[in-house]
Amino acid sequence: MNLFRRKQKTEERAIDEILPSKMKLGTTLFTDVFQFMLNDDFVFKFDIDSFIVESMSEYRMHGTNFINLYLKSEDETIQFLMIELKEDNSVEKIVFFYEYDDVEPDDDEGWDQWLNDENGYIGAEEFTIEDDGLDKTFINYYDKGRIEFEETLFNESGEEIDSYNSMMSLYSRDVDHSNEYVYLSKVETEEEAFISISIGVEISLNDLK
């Protein structure tokens, strides 16, 4: 599913100057996430190790600044790095995500199941994925709640390539002294709206080559 539609060029952005050189827009990244596939306790199943940093966005969640770096690889699913920043804009945490599934509800009742303020999946205290016949439960990273924001993506030239409304919650669970994450979001563009379920694992800056 393609999120990106080209727009006219805007004022050049220099936001990636705060990121390490290996994570700049337009660079090629290498990282080995195959190690997580060797453990059946992980839902995470993704074995591509080479990516081009294609675009980026920034947003604020519960008082913390984040950057999403969207990646391009031989796999057509959405892949991105969610980078949590410290107050001085240095990197606090990096999570590699790939889109595990997407859902397009058929009617209002279907959307309500995901978006209801009281008991919708997005923003709930827990989110459960059935994996190989087992229920694996992720806990809301911020106890309960969700954020809504307009996400604007920029490419290497500072050109705005997309802007869309997003509602999301972040979930996590412990797996063998590591963390696995779910980035659960509603994405709405001019052409379509859908629910995106992305699975992620925490990696270090040293894991990126």
Side-chain angles (χ1 to χ4, degrees):
M1 185 172 295
N2 183 15
L3 293 182
F4 311 126
R5 52 184 173 76
R6 186 165 298 279
K7 290 188 173 184
Q8 65 182 13
K9 187 170 182 179
T10 61
E11 181 180 354
E12 185 171 349
R13 297 286 297 255
I15 185 174
D16 70 343
E17 290 182 0
I18 69 176
L19 294 173
S21 58
K22 65 177 69 176
M23 301 170 74
K24 300 289 189 183
L25 290 169
T27 59
T28 299
L29 288 178
F30 298 91
T31 186
D32 181 12
V33 293
F34 183 74
Q35 56 181 309
F36 298 100
M37 295 183 59
L38 300 178
N39 188 334
D40 290 337
D41 289 337
F42 281 94
V43 178
F44 187 93
K45 300 290 186 295
F46 196 85
D47 61 356
I48 294 175
D49 60 2
S50 176
F51 312 89
I52 295 175
V53 184
E54 190 171 47
S55 60
M56 68 179 294
S57 68
E58 60 176 331
Y59 55 97
R60 190 167 177 83
M61 180 164 56
H62 298 281
T64 301
N65 292 323
F66 288 84
I67 289 175
N68 284 354
L69 290 183
Y70 288 92
L71 310 174
K72 182 179 180 181
S73 73
E74 61 189 64
D75 191 288
E76 294 184 355
T77 62
I78 299 169
Q79 305 130 49
F80 62 97
L81 298 178
M82 186 187 75
I83 303 163
E84 180 180 340
L85 299 176
K86 299 179 182 178
E87 290 187 5
D88 63 357
N89 284 334
S90 60
V91 175
E92 172 74 24
K93 180 188 298 181
I94 304 170
V95 182
F96 174 88
F97 282 101
Y98 74 98
E99 189 174 60
Y100 175 81
D101 198 7
D102 64 74
V103 179
E104 297 185 31
D106 295 326
D107 50 31
D108 290 344
E109 183 178 351
W111 280 109
D112 192 62
Q113 186 176 25
W114 292 92
L115 306 180
N116 185 280
D117 290 337
E118 297 297 325
N119 54 18
Y121 293 144
I122 299 180
E125 294 180 0
E126 299 179 349
F127 184 74
T128 299
I129 290 177
E130 182 180 341
D131 180 55
D132 292 333
L134 298 174
D135 285 342
K136 298 180 178 180
T137 299
F138 296 76
I139 307 300
N140 196 308
Y141 197 69
Y142 296 100
D143 296 326
K144 187 176 182 179
R146 61 197 184 193
I147 64 168
E148 297 183 52
F149 61 101
E150 182 177 1
E151 186 168 13
T152 302
L153 280 68
F154 294 88
N155 64 13
E156 180 183 5
S157 300
E159 184 179 46
E160 181 186 336
I161 59 173
D162 204 1
S163 181
Y164 51 86
N165 296 319
S166 181
M167 173 191 296
M168 63 83 65
S169 287
L170 182 66
Y171 298 83
S172 68
R173 70 185 187 109
D174 295 330
V175 183
D176 289 345
H177 307 292
S178 184
N179 288 322
E180 185 171 40
Y181 296 85
V182 168
Y183 188 104
L184 185 61
S185 63
K186 174 201 173 187
V187 178
E188 184 176 359
T189 71
E190 293 180 354
E191 293 83 15
E192 60 183 346
F194 60 95
I195 303 296
S196 177
I197 306 168
S198 296
I199 299 292
V201 290
E202 192 170 341
I203 61 176
S204 71
L205 193 57
N206 291 333
D207 291 327
L208 299 174
K209 310 298 183 184

